[in-house]
Amino acid sequence: MTRLDLGIPGLRRDPAAPPSTVGRPDVPGLVDRFGRQARDLRVSITEKCSLRCTYCMPEAGLPAIARDDLLSAVEIARLVHIAVRDLGVHDIRFTGGEPLMRADLAEILARSSAVAGGASISMTTNGIGLDHRIRELVDAGLTRINISLDTVDRDHFARLTRRDRLPAVFAGIRAAKEAGLTPLKINAVLMRDTLAGAADLLAWSLENGVRLRFIEQMPLDADEAWARDNMVDAAELLDVLGGRFELSRPHRDDPSAPAEEWLVDGGPATVGVIASVTRSFCEACDRTRITAEGTVRSCLFGDEETDLRGLLRGGADDRDIADRWRAAMWVKQAGHGMGRTDFVRPKRSMGAIGG
Ligand code: SAM
Ligand code: SF4
């Protein structure tokens, strides 16, 4: 497989040529041509990972990004500051790759939370090694965390992630709970071979007081094994869970939230289903993404990226950076098009974008 096949770009866009802003109203927020405004920022901080989940990474891992090409803690915090102060962002989530692979994660969090105003600072992680670092991360400003866990069966976990690390994930989950990062959300990717263990995972989540959400698998695996025909959808999952639990819809339901929540056995516990493929929520999407190398990505599925690192390092002032970011988001595409026959996979895989 070549470097290009793995989705690590040679740059897609000349950083000197910003996207067109024709028709864009003169407003501060990250608005786009379809009336949406991005307020939720995902910042990927590394391509490295301690696991090799088959739905995400290639077996050998992603090609390493040169250290100098990664945004530094200072650069990340500067972008967070601009996002919150000038662009109307109010949620910041660090992701990757695996954020815990960055030795300076606490510094990234501390510098970012110092300039984040009231914005929330959260992280999506596989939880490995979290127990050793949770105190410094909470002290640095981490307020919420999502931990990814697809199965509670050790052999299955080892096959799925190509690493026998389930006990380490459990230790991370325990540490997060003990540190008060609750309600703790658990993300599970829905796959054909995890379906059989889905009810066990829900039972474990209920016992351990964590909020489980299943996510339909998207065609963002580096191995390109995803096939629409073989995909497990939300309906099939609900059927399986319904065999063991009584599922009912809660009274309150936010139609713009990606997760559809179900009460389990009358509640109060819930299980969420994020039907990213079969129930597109693109029309309500409020995300903007920064890759580990400092490009803005307006959509998981759009390969158009706009470089901010060049501006950060080239002496641009905050106003120029904010304008370039606004321009990048103005041209955000309408939707992912996964159901269309002309759908083309993005060049980057999930681990190279930041989920
Ligand atoms: N390493 C961290 C983790 O696993 O939580 C953060 C990065 S990971 C790319 C972020 C989220 O994307 C995880 O919850 C993971 O399960 C999810 N993910 C990865 N590949 C996916 C795919 N092909 N479809 C749907 N979700 C995916
Ligand atoms: Fe690593 Fe997260 Fe991708 Fe799994 S989903 S390979 S833990 S980045």
Side-chain angles (χ1 to χ4, degrees):
M1 201 175 259
T2 65
R3 184 179 163 87
L4 194 72
D5 292 337
L6 289 173
I8 298 296
L11 249 188
R12 307 136 295 271
R13 165 177 286 285
D14 173 2
S20 162
T21 51
V22 172
R24 190 186 180 283
D26 185 16
V27 292
L30 294 172
V31 295
D32 69 30
R33 295 164 300 160
F34 303 96
R36 299 166 295 192
Q37 180 171 347
R39 299 179 195 278
D40 180 344
L41 168 61
R42 303 278 153 122
V43 188
S44 175
I45 57 173
T46 180
E47 83 298 354
K48 293 191 173 35
C49 190
S50 43
L51 298 179
R52 296 286 184 274
C53 304
T54 50
Y55 49 73
C56 177
M57 288 258 172
E59 184 152 19
L62 292 165
I65 300 175
R67 199 192 163 103
D68 281 353
D69 289 344
L70 285 175
L71 292 186
S72 68
V74 170
E75 289 167 337
I76 291 168
R78 185 164 168 213
L79 292 181
V80 165
H81 193 199
I82 292 169
V84 172
R85 185 194 58 201
D86 303 331
L87 302 174
V89 164
H90 53 52
D91 289 304
I92 317 269
R93 176 171 293 275
F94 293 103
T95 179
E98 174 45 52
L100 289 164
M101 300 295 281
R102 279 260 323 225
D104 60 351
L105 177 59
E107 185 191 348
I108 293 172
L109 292 170
R111 286 185 181 278
S112 298
S113 59
V115 293
S120 70
I121 302 273
S122 60
M123 174 170 92
T124 300
T125 173
N126 63 28
I128 294 174
L130 186 60
D131 46 334
H132 302 296
R133 298 175 70 185
I134 190 76
R135 194 33 52 211
E136 60 162 348
L137 301 184
V138 170
D139 289 348
L142 184 68
T143 51
R144 281 191 287 138
I145 196 163
N146 288 5
I147 300 185
S148 303
L149 174 66
D150 306 305
T151 174
V152 287
D153 179 274
R154 186 163 172 173
D155 290 338
H156 187 210
F157 183 94
R159 280 198 310 279
L160 193 67
T161 65
R162 301 171 171 126
R163 299 287 187 273
D164 182 18
R165 304 300 306 277
L166 183 60
V169 178
F170 284 154
I173 292 172
R174 262 196 312 275
K177 280 174 56 191
E178 282 164 16
L181 292 180
T182 52
L184 184 62
K185 288 186 185 163
I186 300 289
N187 293 346
V189 177
L190 198 46
M191 295 179 77
R192 183 103 351 244
D193 71 335
T194 48
L195 195 58
D200 285 345
L201 181 59
L202 177 53
W204 177 89
S205 300
L206 299 176
E207 270 164 39
N208 287 277
V210 295
R211 277 199 204 165
L212 177 63
R213 294 129 33 101
F214 287 95
I215 307 170
E216 283 180 349
Q217 189 196 355
M218 295 182 276
L220 292 170
D221 54 318
D223 294 340
E224 303 200 359
W226 183 93
R228 178 71 181 82
D229 294 346
N230 192 35
M231 200 204 103
V232 181
D233 61 18
E236 201 173 340
L237 169 75
L238 293 170
D239 228 31
V240 167
L241 295 181
R244 184 140 143 210
F245 303 93
E246 194 192 310
L247 300 179
S248 55
R249 298 311 304 274
H251 299 302
R252 281 183 304 111
D253 207 5
D254 174 1
S256 69
E260 280 187 82
E261 297 287 337
W262 298 79
L263 288 176
V264 183
D265 292 339
T270 58
V271 61
V273 186
I274 305 182
S276 344
V277 178
T278 58
R279 189 183 72 92
S280 154
F281 31 82
C282 300
E283 69 284 354
C285 179
D286 65 348
R287 302 228 167 118
T288 180
R289 293 170 194 278
I290 298 286
T291 65
E293 308 102 311
T295 60
V296 179
R297 196 169 168 107
S298 59
C299 174
L300 274 175
F301 290 91
D303 279 326
E304 283 286 282
E305 293 182 11
T306 302
D307 181 50
L308 296 185
R309 191 185 62 201
L311 292 180
L312 284 167
R313 295 183 183 176
D317 64 21
D318 287 1
R319 206 179 43 188
D320 293 339
I321 294 170
D323 279 346
R324 187 67 62 88
W325 201 333
R326 290 186 187 104
M329 293 306 295
W330 175 242
V331 297
K332 175 171 172 148
Q333 63 196 47
H336 56 52
M338 272 185 276
R340 290 204 313 261
T341 49
D342 61 347
F343 171 72
V344 183
R345 277 170 164 272
K347 290 203 181 74
R348 283 181 187 254
S349 60
M350 189 64 128
I353 300 170

